[in-house]
Amino acid sequence: MLEWYPVLKIIHVGSVCLSLGLFMLRGGWMLADSPRLQQRWVKILPHVVDTTLLASAIGLVLMLRQYPFVQGWLTAKVLALVVYIVLGSIGLKYGCSKPVRMGACIAALAVFGYIVSVALTHDPLGFMTFCRN
């Protein structure tokens, strides 16, 4: 089964990149009050990409036998993912004003960066790992 690891990792990382790109695109359109946000593909494609991302993550977890709430760095990623989803929802849809939405989008991007840094370092501190003595 490990022979599928490189393929699954490429799918996962590719989905991460697509998810980020779509989030940034939709955030820009939200700030510009673009009618493009109402297009059918804009409402469907992010869900397809994020489902692929989640499925590949679950596949990697099972394949590598590294589980959230057992491995600290995976626990940090899962908890940060929940924060990212909440902030992203506020930023793209539920924020009561444009400044609130923009702030939530910026915060979501910061959390996204943290998640990537945790994935790269395999440490719950992520990019802050480099600040340790």
Side-chain angles (χ1 to χ4, degrees):
M1 190 156 176
L2 280 177
E3 65 271 8
W4 288 100
Y5 173 79
V7 173
L8 201 51
K9 187 172 180 184
I10 288 170
I11 291 169
H12 185 69
V13 172
S15 298
V16 167
C17 294
L18 283 172
S19 183
L20 175 62
L22 287 168
F23 179 76
M24 292 174 64
L25 180 65
R26 292 183 300 152
W29 285 347
M30 177 276 301
L31 291 172
D33 292 320
S34 175
R36 292 181 178 133
L37 278 173
Q38 302 309 314
Q39 293 177 345
R40 184 177 168 102
W41 72 269
V42 175
K43 294 182 178 200
I44 295 171
L45 185 59
H47 296 295
V48 172
V49 170
D50 291 342
T51 299
T52 303
L53 177 57
L54 181 60
S56 64
I58 291 169
L60 288 168
V61 159
L62 295 174
M63 185 179 294
L64 298 175
R65 298 175 190 245
Q66 293 187 351
Y67 305 104
F69 307 105
V70 174
Q71 301 289 324
W73 70 277
L74 281 176
T75 303
K77 277 183 66 174
V78 169
L79 295 176
L81 176 64
V82 172
V83 173
Y84 171 74
I85 290 168
V86 170
L87 288 170
S89 296
I90 294 168
L92 293 178
K93 191 171 186 179
Y94 297 110
C96 58
S97 66
K98 198 168 282 190
V100 168
R101 287 182 174 196
M102 185 168 62
C105 282
I106 291 168
L109 290 172
V111 171
F112 189 94
Y114 166 75
I115 293 169
V116 170
S117 74
V118 169
L120 293 173
T121 62
H122 289 196
D123 189 301
L125 291 177
F127 54 80
M128 295 176 283
T129 300
F130 303 112
C131 298
R132 283 195 283 198
N133 290 330

